[in-house]
């Protein structure tokens, strides 16, 4: 989705403009590669079990890849009964309509999550002559759970939270969930996971992406893994992981 320049002051206020620029440029997920790595994830230790030993994504990795702050207020809340704690005790969907000015149709809602297609169709373009109220109402993203609305509602305070911790904890949680054989879809900040793979394992990096920028994940903007059959690509990624040795892993000096 194109990033309208009129949104920039609000994104800067939230200290998330650099992430918006990252998402504004095409960053396609290499699903077979990511899936092969997630198969190595062990919920008991929160590490990837590799042929050479264990490794994991750290807060420092999140800082380099996404440029998120670690200092600040912690982000917490109940995942199941969050709607009981909405500000003022109002129903969750009433608060949603107050913030965005519109409610999604029932076929665009999955429990308390709204499909990304509805956000894109409803807020994908900033209308000509939009005033501050209209600009402030745009909170579009991929499928988003409405429990995040209390944070998004106060953009001036968003930069004061430890979003680095949130991103890492959420990625850990999603990978632990997909380790359950009954779960078939992987969610979470997968841009972080894929960028970490490219940085830590140079043998998996796409060719031709040599320019450094900030955050470091933006280096891979424009990467397109192709649309070839996924099955053989997953098998190939598994074989390449099986052959990894300690010398194939980059150290922190890669970031400097």
């Amino acid at each position: 989705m194109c990033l309208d320049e009129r949104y920039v002051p609000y994104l800067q206020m939230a200290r998330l403009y650099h992430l918006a620029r990252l998402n504004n440029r095409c960053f396609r997920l290499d699903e077979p590669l990511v899936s092969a790595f997630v198969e190595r994830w062990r919920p008991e230790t929160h590490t990837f079990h590799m042929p050479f030993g264990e490794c994991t994504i750290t807060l420092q990795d999140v800082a380099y890849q996404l440029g998120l702050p670690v200092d600040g207020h912690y982000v917490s809340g109940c995942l199941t009964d969050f709607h009981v704690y909405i500000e003022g005790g109002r129903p969750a969907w009433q608060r949603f309509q107050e913030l965005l000015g519109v409610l999604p149709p029932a076929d665009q809602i999955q429990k308390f999550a709204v499909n990304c297609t509805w956000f894109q169709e409803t807020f994908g373009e900033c209308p000509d002559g939009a005033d501050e109220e209209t600009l402030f109402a745009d909170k579009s993203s991929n499928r988003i759970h409405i429990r995040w609305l209390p944070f998004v509602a106060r953009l001036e305070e968003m930069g004061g939270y430890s979003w680095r911790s949130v991103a890492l904890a959420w990625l850990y949680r999603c990978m632990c969930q997909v380790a359950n054989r009954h779960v078939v879809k992987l969610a979470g900040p997968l841009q972080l996971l894929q960028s970490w793979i490219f940085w830590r394992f140079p043998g998996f990096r796409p060719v031709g992406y040599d320019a450094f920028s900030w955050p470091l994940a933006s280096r891979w903007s424009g990467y397109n893994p192709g649309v070839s059959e996924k099955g053989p690509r997953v098998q190939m990624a598994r074989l390449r992981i099986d052959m990894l040795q300690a010398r194939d892993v980059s150290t922190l000096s890669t970031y400097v």
Side-chain angles (χ1 to χ4, degrees):
M1 184 176 66
C2 182
L3 176 62
D4 194 291
E5 290 298 321
R6 287 171 287 179
Y7 298 144
V8 171
Y10 301 98
L11 293 168
Q12 291 174 330
M13 181 192 306
R15 294 170 58 185
L16 297 175
Y17 177 50
H18 60 288
L19 286 183
R21 288 192 296 110
L22 173 62
N23 289 324
N24 190 45
R25 302 173 63 187
C26 186
F27 190 114
R28 297 186 183 277
L29 185 67
D30 191 334
E31 294 183 12
L33 175 62
V34 170
S35 296
F37 267 84
V38 172
E39 289 175 357
R40 293 275 183 168
W41 181 257
R42 295 297 178 268
E44 301 83 4
T45 58
H46 288 168
T47 57
F48 295 98
H49 284 216
M50 296 297 189
F52 54 83
E54 299 181 23
C55 60
T56 194
I57 305 173
T58 67
L59 283 172
Q60 190 175 46
D61 290 314
V62 183
Y64 286 130
Q65 299 302 327
L66 299 183
L68 292 174
V70 68
D71 298 325
H73 305 295
Y74 62 85
V75 178
S76 66
C78 181
L79 297 180
T80 54
D81 297 324
F82 78 96
H83 54 284
V84 177
Y85 305 101
I86 294 291
E87 182 180 348
R90 285 164 290 182
W93 290 109
Q94 177 183 332
R95 182 60 172 154
F96 184 101
Q97 187 170 22
E98 289 175 358
L99 290 173
L100 303 186
V102 63
L103 283 175
D107 61 353
Q108 296 295 317
I109 300 173
Q110 299 181 22
K111 294 183 179 180
F112 284 103
V114 181
N115 291 340
C116 63
T117 52
W118 180 82
F119 278 102
Q120 292 169 348
E121 292 171 358
T122 307
F123 303 108
E125 295 184 7
C126 185
D128 294 335
D131 56 17
E132 181 172 333
E133 181 177 356
T134 305
L135 289 171
F136 189 81
D138 186 78
K139 308 294 191 304
S140 53
S141 181
N142 288 330
R143 182 188 303 167
I144 184 172
H145 196 288
I146 65 174
R147 63 171 163 264
W148 301 113
L149 287 178
F151 299 99
V152 178
R154 295 182 288 272
L155 290 180
E156 69 280 1
E157 299 179 9
M158 283 192 70
Y161 289 95
S162 178
W163 293 112
R164 191 191 312 179
S165 305
V166 176
L168 185 61
W170 192 250
L171 180 60
Y172 275 20
R173 182 178 186 272
C174 291
M175 290 194 293
C176 289
Q177 283 186 323
V178 84
N180 186 323
R181 63 186 179 90
H182 298 295
V183 178
V184 296
K185 292 184 178 180
L186 176 62
L190 301 181
Q191 289 179 334
L192 168 60
L193 174 57
Q194 180 165 296
S195 186
W196 175 82
I197 294 172
F198 288 161
W199 281 101
R200 289 296 191 179
F201 302 91
F204 290 96
R205 293 178 187 173
V207 178
Y209 294 85
D210 302 321
F212 284 78
S213 57
W214 182 258
L216 296 183
S218 62
R219 176 176 178 175
W220 321 114
S221 294
Y223 168 64
N224 189 343
V227 293
S228 58
E229 190 175 353
K230 294 181 180 179
R233 293 178 58 208
V234 172
Q235 295 177 8
M236 181 60 67
R238 289 170 180 163
L239 290 174
R240 294 178 63 187
I241 293 175
D242 288 341
M243 298 173 63
L244 285 174
Q245 299 183 33
R247 64 172 180 267
D248 299 318
V249 185
S250 294
T251 63
L252 281 177
S253 60
T254 304
Y255 296 127
V256 179

